[in-house]
Amino acid sequence: WLGLGRWESVSLVSSELSSTMMLVLLPAAAQSADGPATADAARGLQDALFELKVECPVKVMHDKLYLRISGWIYNEPLDYLRLALAVERAVLPGPSSIHAEAPSALAEDVAVAEDVAVAVAAQEKERLDTLYPIAAPI
């Protein structure tokens, strides 16, 4: 899950037991300092993500906030990085929290991430071409 690994988070179940859906614990900055997480807090964060053009359910489980993410064919690895960046913008204090410029700031972060993803994809293609060379046309 590109991006979400940056939180050193855990899932409620092991990856062997999950299918295409997974609950991922949100970072400490997203958790309530005043006690157990609430449904209102989950809705607030989900709404904040929506304002950042990201659609992802936020759930309360065992008094903590989790993201319910999908690893299905319509999601690409870069989508998880976009999600991680949006969560960080929504929950971290200061200039990275939600404000009027957040969508454009998020777009800048995503543009950098896309450049990195393109470079990684090129490296992977080169590696695969080396492992599995395609015969030149005759």
Side-chain angles (χ1 to χ4, degrees):
W1 305 98
L2 176 68
L4 300 181
R6 62 202 270 136
W7 299 334
E8 298 178 13
S9 185
V10 296
S11 177
L12 282 179
V13 297
S14 70
S15 59
E16 293 83 23
L17 296 176
S18 65
S19 180
T20 60
M21 295 284 200
M22 183 175 281
L23 286 170
V24 176
L25 181 65
L26 282 160
Q31 303 297 334
S32 172
D34 301 329
T38 64
D40 286 341
R43 275 191 298 280
L45 180 54
Q46 187 168 330
D47 290 348
L49 293 175
F50 187 77
E51 287 180 29
L52 291 168
K53 310 293 187 233
V54 172
E55 181 66 39
C56 185
V58 179
K59 302 295 181 187
V60 177
M61 298 290 294
H62 306 289
D63 299 327
K64 299 281 185 189
L65 291 177
Y66 287 81
L67 291 176
R68 184 177 64 93
I69 60 174
S70 171
W72 199 239
I73 195 167
Y74 47 79
N75 287 329
E76 299 176 1
L78 191 57
D79 293 330
Y80 302 106
L81 181 56
R82 286 185 182 110
L83 172 59
L85 292 170
V87 167
E88 290 168 10
R89 291 224 180 260
V91 302
L92 295 177
S96 62
S97 61
I98 291 181
H99 51 82
E101 296 82 39
S104 63
L106 178 61
E108 291 171 18
D109 287 346
V110 168
V112 170
E114 286 173 339
D115 289 345
V116 170
V118 167
V120 168
Q123 289 175 345
E124 181 65 6
K125 181 185 181 315
E126 184 178 319
R127 184 183 75 80
L128 290 174
D129 286 348
T130 302
L131 290 173
Y132 309 104
I134 298 173
I138 297 176

